[in-house]
Structure formats: structure tokens, C-alpha cells
Amino acid sequence: MRSKEDYLKALKDGRKVYYRGKLVEDITSHPILRIAALHAAKLYEYQDRLYEDSKLGKISKFFKVPKSPQDLLDRHKLIYDLTLYCNGIFNISQAIGSDALFALMITARQVDKKYGTDYYKRVEKYFEEVAKQDLTLATAQTDVKGDRSKRPSEQVDPDMYVRIVDVRSDGIVVKGAKAHTTQSAVSDEIIVIPTRAMRENDKDYAIAFAIPTNTQGLKMYTRPIDEIEGNTSAILSKKDYELETLTVFDNVFIPWDRVFLFKEYDHAGTLAMLFATYHRFTALSYRAATINLFLGSSRLISKLNGIENEKHVRDDIVDIILYKEILRSTAIAAAVNPVFLEEIALPNPIFTNVGKLYSNMHFHDVVKDLIDIAGGIIATMPSEEDLKSEEGSTIIKYLRGAVSGEERVKGLKLVKELAASPITGYLLTGMIHAEGSIEASKIELFRSYNYNEAENLIKKILE
């Protein structure tokens, strides 16, 4: 199978990546962006990621199409364990792309049945190619949207949603932009899917396709990595982080064999929802692992501060445990109670959205708990430069707790990074909006919930 070195070498392919106003010639040698590439490369070092497929041979477990509750449970464990392997930072490299591929498989079969198209054959061929080549995949779903009160076809600027601008005998040409495309700049391929349901007037926006990341006309503008450049005492982010880009499609050509939805507007919403369900299940799995950063740091700093037996500390830590285990419980419940569509197992949408909504709404409580235990020093402690200066020994003397100043400072640096640095704002925003906003989960939960049991109970009482 593919090695870490194979993957990193493949990133030197002329892709157009911009960082802080400059074109990045080689992302693997860039002092900041290379960390995201090395993080993604850890996928290829993870020992327990391959399995023997009866048709394709040895491939990544991420490309195992779920056909049973056990398959979904195995996927949950894979995502959870790989996140721990990557120091609590989610490795999206094959997770999000396979989420999209499973959604495309289901949707393609449904569209083929209705319209006599051959999308499933295209999806299957593409799936086999990326699985055999062991590629990394980004998924671009979220359009920039423009005026949120208007539909795609109603925008003043028609490029606010990715759209078809030309149809040729050999394929289509698209234009527009997608936001928040995680790890796109360090992925081999990008899968593009609709962000919402469409109407007939929006049919030029009802498209799904896949392209190599170095495709002509594709440009990626990377967010500033403030968690490293804005925090000289960072520890975790210098080991692992994931980047996002504003991904611009400037008249990008897509050959027909890589087009998976073409103006079938009545299926755009279905595809968007199916992907969201798979990806929210992924979110529950990795977030439950990520919370170990906050749980472990809370335990450590409580001991360094000498307050591990205080009631308020116990309450804070139990609150973090509750958050972590609700996420794991809902992921497991979603896996063992799947919905089967086109013979593929979909995580139970109700349990998935319940867990995801809880995750969205209560992450800030986890941050609050860690701050409560650590104290205000994480926001006011002297800088890394001060600690390394001639005055460092004096500063460290006065930063001791139940242990020496040297030992406590090590813990304080990590807690500061998690709870009082640029990565805190990044995580807060991500935990509220990534994999679907609070409102998106509420809408889907309200729409898809089966009210019959509750309504029939009330009806029986009132008869």
C-alpha cells in the first residue's frame, strides 16, 4: 500500500495554494503548512488501518462500505482511535471523502432508477480508483452562499454557489467557490457535492463531481494558522493541526466520468442530507476522542495546582466526562440502529443528530470547565520569550504550585493553548459549526423525528 513518503511526494504536483498573500511553491517544505501535511501523513503510519476486501484486495478500512451495524461500529472505533493516534486532532484524510462516497453511492442508485442515468457506475469506478491508489480526499460542500435570504439562482452574483457555466461533449465547466474545505490543500482529490436542497430554477447548481487537487483553474486560499504563529508557546499545534481553504473554481473542467450529479435538482437535498448524516457520525466519533485533550489537561492541571480533591474540580471533570460519553453513546446507538438505503447502512439519523446537537451546544462548557480548574494564569502568564530569557528563572520560581515551577509551566502551556489561545477560538467555532451548524441539526432532527409514539399516547389519554 501507499507509504507516507509516497503521499508527501504526490503533494508536489503544481497545485495552486496561497498562504498570507503568497503562492506556496512546495507545501511539504513550507514552515507552517507542512505540519498539516505531516499530520495527514500519519494516516499512512497507523498500523491498524488496512483490511482485505474480497474484490479490491488490501485497502484502507475507511473505504469499507458499511453494510451492517458492526461495520459502523468498526468505523466509529477507527475514527476514534486514529484521532488519539494523532494527539487528539482529527485526521480527516480519508474519513470525509469516504463519507461523501457512501452518500454518493446511495444517491446515484436512486437517481439511476428514476432517470435511467449511469451515475452509480461512475461512482463505483471512481471509488475503486481512489481505494486501490490509497488516496486522500477532501470534500467541498459549503458554498459561500452570498445573500442567505436568497436561493442560488436568485443571487446578485450567480457565482455564490458552484454552478455549471458550460456543457461540452467531453464534460462540464464549473465556476464558484466553496468555504471551509478542510485539508483540501494537502489532499490528492476533492469531491464536490451540493450544500442544500434545490428547485428547478437552481438546477445549474445541482452538481456533484470529483477532481484532482492540481486541476487547472482550482485555487485554494488557506486560513492563517494563528494557533502556531499567534502563540509562541504552542505545543500541540506544532505537532498536529488541520487547515481549511476558501476553494475557488475558476472555470474548472470536469470530464463526464467524474460527474456524479448533473442538474437532477430533486436529488441535491437528499445527497446533502446523506453526506451530513455520515459526517456527523464521523464528528461524534472524533470529537469524543478530542475531548480527551480537555479531560486529561483538567486532571493534570488540578494536580499541579493542588486542588484535585476539591468539589468544584470534581464537578467540572464530571461535566467533561458527561460530554465525552454522551458523544460516544450516541455514536454507538446510531451504529447499532442503522437505516438501510440501497443495501448500505446509514447511521441512525435521530441518534446522530441528537449527539451532534449536544456536541454543538455544550462544547463551550468544556472550555469553561478547564478554565475554572486552571485559573486565570493561563491568560496572563509571561511569554515564551520571557521564560527563555535571563529572567526566566525568576518567573518560573513564582509559577510553582503543588509542584515545581518548571513542571507546572509545562502543563500551563498546554492548557493555555487549549483554553486561552487562538486555537480556542478555532475549536469553539469548529465545534459549533463544523459538520453542520446547530440550526442544521435542529432542522433535520425536527423534520425526521417520528412523533407517532408520543402523539398516539396523548390521543389515547384524551379519547
Side-chain angles (χ1 to χ4, degrees):
M1 295 297 291
R2 201 180 195 197
S3 69
K4 170 185 175 180
E5 290 71 27
D6 293 333
Y7 159 73
L8 292 172
K9 183 179 179 180
L11 297 180
K12 304 176 186 181
D13 58 2
R15 61 189 60 201
K16 294 295 185 290
V17 178
Y18 296 84
Y19 185 67
R20 294 192 181 275
K22 296 180 180 180
L23 178 65
V24 178
E25 296 296 335
D26 178 4
I27 203 165
T28 65
S29 62
H30 190 278
I32 300 298
L33 301 188
R34 68 186 298 269
I35 298 172
L38 292 172
H39 167 74
K42 287 185 177 182
L43 170 75
Y44 296 103
E45 298 177 315
Y46 186 60
Q47 294 297 311
D48 189 31
R49 76 176 190 93
L50 302 177
Y51 87 105
E52 192 72 29
D53 183 80
S54 59
K55 181 180 179 182
L56 302 177
K58 187 171 287 187
I59 62 171
S60 170
K61 290 179 180 177
F62 279 108
F63 296 125
K64 185 175 185 180
V65 181
K67 296 294 182 69
S68 69
Q70 188 60 53
D71 287 344
L72 289 173
L73 286 171
D74 291 344
R75 185 172 176 84
H76 162 69
K77 186 177 187 302
L78 174 64
I79 296 166
Y80 185 94
D81 290 347
L82 181 59
T83 303
L84 289 181
Y85 180 77
C86 294
N87 295 312
I89 303 300
F90 178 37
N91 192 319
I92 205 170
S93 301
Q94 290 180 340
I96 191 169
S98 52
D99 286 335
L101 284 168
F102 302 153
L104 281 165
M105 287 176 174
I106 295 170
T107 306
R109 279 180 168 161
Q110 293 175 344
V111 178
D112 286 353
K113 288 177 181 178
K114 185 172 182 179
Y115 293 109
T117 49
D118 65 346
Y119 291 131
Y120 184 77
K121 287 183 179 179
R122 298 183 195 179
V123 174
E124 186 177 42
K125 178 176 178 287
Y126 178 73
F127 169 78
E128 291 180 359
E129 287 175 359
V130 299
K132 287 179 179 178
Q133 295 176 47
D134 207 13
L135 301 181
T136 57
L137 308 169
T139 298
Q141 181 182 36
T142 306
D143 291 279
V144 293
K145 297 188 179 74
D147 185 342
R148 271 64 170 172
S149 70
K150 298 181 183 299
R151 300 191 62 80
S153 58
E154 298 170 345
Q155 297 292 323
V156 173
D157 185 336
D159 297 335
M160 294 300 97
Y161 289 75
V162 174
R163 66 188 178 108
I164 301 164
V165 293
D166 192 17
V167 180
R168 296 169 19 182
S169 61
D170 53 349
I172 62 174
V173 178
V174 302
K175 190 175 183 181
K178 297 279 189 176
H180 327 308
T181 318
T182 306
Q183 289 290 77
S184 53
V186 293
S187 293
D188 296 299
E189 296 265 335
I190 299 178
I191 299 174
V192 179
I193 60 174
T195 194
R196 60 176 294 171
M198 305 286 183
R199 297 174 183 169
E200 186 172 6
N201 289 343
D202 306 318
K203 63 183 179 181
D204 285 342
Y205 300 88
I207 49 173
F209 57 88
I211 53 172
T213 311
N214 67 342
T215 298
Q216 185 175 357
L218 183 68
K219 300 177 183 179
M220 292 164 284
Y221 303 91
T222 308
R223 70 171 175 88
I225 314 301
D226 292 328
E227 56 264 45
I228 298 176
E229 296 181 319
N231 180 18
T232 55
S233 64
I235 299 171
L236 174 64
S237 299
K238 290 178 180 177
K239 300 175 184 287
D240 291 273
Y241 78 83
E242 294 198 316
L243 55 77
E244 286 78 26
T245 64
L246 176 66
T247 308
V248 174
F249 301 82
D250 187 8
N251 293 310
V252 173
F253 171 71
I254 320 294
W256 283 119
D257 64 344
R258 281 171 165 259
V259 175
F260 310 131
L261 192 72
F262 174 70
K263 298 189 179 185
E264 291 85 7
Y265 64 90
D266 51 332
H267 287 269
T270 298
L271 177 53
M273 180 275 293
L274 290 171
F275 167 73
T277 303
Y278 278 113
H279 201 44
R280 287 169 191 168
F281 176 77
T282 292
L284 294 177
S285 303
Y286 87 74
R287 291 183 181 202
T290 295
I291 292 306
N292 283 301
L293 288 169
F294 292 84
L295 181 58
S297 294
S298 295
R299 293 280 291 167
L300 172 64
I301 203 65
S302 70
K303 294 174 183 177
L304 298 181
N305 286 345
I307 56 172
E308 66 266 34
N309 295 318
E310 296 297 324
K311 181 183 181 301
H312 78 280
V313 171
R314 184 170 64 246
D315 290 345
D316 286 335
I317 287 176
V318 167
D319 195 32
I320 300 173
I321 293 171
L322 182 68
Y323 183 93
K324 173 187 171 181
E325 297 305 335
I326 285 177
L327 267 57
R328 279 215 297 191
S329 299
T330 49
I332 292 169
V336 300
N337 297 279
V339 175
F340 289 92
L341 298 172
E342 305 297 335
E343 301 180 350
I344 297 176
L346 177 75
N348 186 287
I350 300 302
F351 294 129
T352 298
N353 281 292
V354 165
K356 180 60 168 49
L357 191 54
Y358 185 88
S359 171
N360 289 136
M361 296 175 70
H362 293 283
F363 177 72
H364 67 279
D365 291 326
V366 172
V367 177
K368 172 196 64 106
D369 294 330
L370 179 54
I371 294 171
D372 189 40
I373 296 170
I377 192 65
I378 60 173
T380 65
M381 64 187 290
S383 69
E384 181 72 0
E385 291 79 6
D386 286 326
L387 293 171
K388 289 181 177 179
S389 73
E390 293 180 357
E391 299 300 316
S393 59
T394 299
I395 296 169
I396 289 172
K397 167 184 168 65
Y398 290 105
L399 288 179
R400 75 166 295 120
V403 296
S404 69
E406 289 86 354
E407 186 176 350
R408 184 167 177 251
V409 163
K410 287 181 181 179
L412 285 173
K413 286 181 183 178
L414 180 57
V415 174
K416 172 186 176 179
E417 186 173 8
L418 292 172
S421 81
I423 197 176
T424 315
Y426 170 82
L427 287 172
L428 278 167
T429 304
M431 289 292 192
I432 291 172
H433 267 281
E435 299 93 28
S437 66
I438 290 175
E439 187 62 19
S441 290
K442 284 183 176 180
I443 289 171
E444 181 56 30
L445 190 58
F446 184 84
R447 184 191 68 81
S448 61
Y449 195 80
N450 187 339
Y451 298 96
N452 289 342
E453 185 177 75
E455 291 177 344
N456 287 340
L457 175 62
I458 299 305
K459 184 179 179 180
K460 183 180 73 171
I461 293 171
L462 294 178
E463 284 179 348

